[in-house]
């Protein structure tokens, strides 16, 4: 059985997908770009600000589903420019820490929706 998760504290889906789906004690959070939920616009600033907003959106979805950042077991991170990796990593490390950090894959991609510099998706488990 699966349950759709939705919260107004994270951006509404901009396509035919859910913010997150919970199935059998695992939460699958769709990729989040740095959209400010209240405005529907990409946050101003560079990779640090955009990474922080994308992770804030993920945290809002986790909270709505009854999960925490500590429940995240895997992330997939997409960067529009691999040269942003170091700055991205600094914000990411502050968010997840280094103890028991989730498994991760990070890729550079040609482009992201709405011209975002970063997109992050997570899988969480209780």
């Amino acid at each position: 059985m699966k349950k759709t998760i939705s919260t107004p504290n994270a951006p509404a889906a901009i396509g035919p997908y859910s913010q997150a789906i919970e199935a059998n004690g695992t939460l699958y959070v769709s990729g989040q770009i740095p959209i400010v939920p209240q405005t529907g616009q990409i946050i101003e600033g560079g990779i640090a600000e955009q990474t922080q907003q994308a992770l804030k959106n993920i945290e809002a979805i986790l909270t709505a589903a009854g999960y925490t950042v500590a429940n995240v077991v895997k992330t997939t991170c997409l960067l529009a420019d691999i040269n942003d990796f170091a700055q991205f990593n600094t914000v990411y490390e502050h968010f997840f820490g280094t103890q028991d950090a989730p498994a991760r894959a990070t890729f550079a991609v040609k482009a992201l929706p709405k011209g975002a510099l970063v997109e992050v998706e997570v899988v969480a488990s209780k």
Side-chain angles (χ1 to χ4, degrees):
M1 176 163 291
K2 70 179 187 176
K3 177 181 176 185
T4 301
I5 306 299
S6 181
T7 178
N9 297 322
I14 58 174
Y17 60 90
S18 302
Q19 287 177 335
I21 296 291
E22 183 178 35
N24 302 317
T26 301
L27 184 69
Y28 302 89
V29 179
S30 292
Q32 295 297 302
I33 60 175
I35 292 176
V36 177
Q38 296 79 5
T39 66
Q41 301 299 314
I42 298 282
I43 194 166
E44 291 185 21
I47 189 65
E49 293 82 7
Q50 287 199 18
T51 301
Q52 188 171 23
Q53 184 63 51
L55 295 172
K56 183 177 177 181
N57 294 341
I58 287 169
E59 188 169 32
I61 295 167
L62 290 168
T63 299
Y67 289 73
T68 69
V69 172
N71 295 121
V72 175
V73 296
K74 172 74 168 74
T75 67
T76 302
C77 308
L78 308 173
L79 301 175
D81 184 347
I82 199 65
N83 293 313
D84 288 336
F85 184 80
Q87 284 186 289
F88 164 80
N89 228 21
T90 298
V91 177
Y92 181 96
E93 181 179 343
H94 185 269
F95 187 78
F96 285 108
T98 55
Q99 283 296 96
D100 299 321
R104 179 176 100 177
T106 304
F107 302 95
V109 297
K110 184 175 180 178
L112 291 166
K114 295 190 172 243
L117 301 176
V118 61
E119 180 172 348
V120 181
E121 71 172 26
V122 305
V123 177
S125 182
K126 286 187 175 177

